[in-house]
Amino acid sequence: VEGAIEVVLLRLTAEGGAVGWGEAAPWVVFTGSPEATLHALHRHIRPHVVGRKLKDRAAIMADAAHAVAHATEAKAALETALLDVTGHAVGLPVHALLGGKCRDEIALSCSIANPDWAADRQLLQRLHADGVRIVKLKTGFKGHAFDLMRLEEIRRDWPQVAIRVDYNQGLQPHEAIARLPEVAAFKPDFIEQPVAAANLTTMARLRARIDVPLLADESVFGPEDLMRAIEAGACDGISVKIMKAGGLMRAQSVARMADRLQFTPAVAEAFVRALEQQSGFRHGEVDMRVAARRAGFPALLFHDPEDRSSPFHNSELIAAEWAGARIVPCPGRGHLRILSTPYVHQQTADFFTARR
């Protein structure tokens, strides 16, 4: 049926009569098929659910994780249904079971993915009239010139609309390296998954070439994938999806890790070791303001004013004690993207060239 989607709905009924619903929305080229999801739920997961207590939700999910490999949509449907039935049983909304509500509204983003650009222009007009101000432009399926043309027209005709670009693994490495700088020139909010999920090396190369955040989607399903992506330096952010992660709780874990993890252990160890060798101070025993007073050389302090990992005020305190230190604000670059920012590279090169 044209325009139809295939989903799997799961209903759990507690002994007291409370009912909870879960949904699996698989996409065959991404996560799996409805048939595989139904089979995983009925044959492999069901025996670990029937007769269990609602309070044992974590244990049930752990058993489901070991009962069948992958099948993340089936596990997401199970956890959603468990949370739903628990919420009905205790009289609480699901968000209260997950730690509380964070916001009342979220901005709507709509995908622009039609090879018929005239039809998508009409869609954009309707979306704009409805107040939608974010679009995700699907790219890489009809040639680079088509992508650039659409970016140019959206920027020209709907300047208030934020653009996000998503290739869905649609490019070969050589194509991505050649094309992404031109796409980045339109300043989209981010560029998502330009190459195959496993190609973290190319993702890292691309990240160093563009001054736009690079997102991983298909490359990161769960926390384990996130660690590999971070260690490879493959992305500035990730797309967190319940169907990929295998449930709301694992999706929360992925989001928290992405928010909190900075250096990988190996990089952190090398950084600290180099710092100790150069400074003569041992890590953990240093008040940087004291160290700054002893520094006999000028310095540049690159810092994002909105950095959530290290407050901007820390650099201000250090600069106040460090003769010859200058703060270079790097808005929008976060804690790690500063290292891949072209104007930071240029300022650093100019700084050292002037002191030869």
Side-chain angles (χ1 to χ4, degrees), residues 318-349:
I318 294 170
E321 302 288 347
W322 193 324
R326 177 165 62 89
I327 299 176
V328 181
C330 304
R333 300 309 293 169
H335 197 66
L336 292 183
R337 292 198 304 273
I338 285 174
L339 300 177
S340 61
T341 304
Y343 71 78
V344 169
H345 301 166
Q346 186 60 55
Q347 291 218 27
T348 302

Side-chain angles (χ1 to χ4, degrees), residues 84-124:
D84 190 30
V85 71
T86 301
H88 284 295
V90 301
L92 289 173
V94 168
H95 68 71
L97 304 176
L98 293 171
K101 182 170 62 174
C102 297
R103 56 187 60 84
D104 294 315
E105 300 178 341
I106 59 171
L108 177 64
S109 171
C110 292
S111 292
I112 302 298
N114 196 333
D116 182 350
W117 176 231
D120 259 349
R121 282 189 60 90
Q122 294 178 2
L123 173 60
L124 273 164

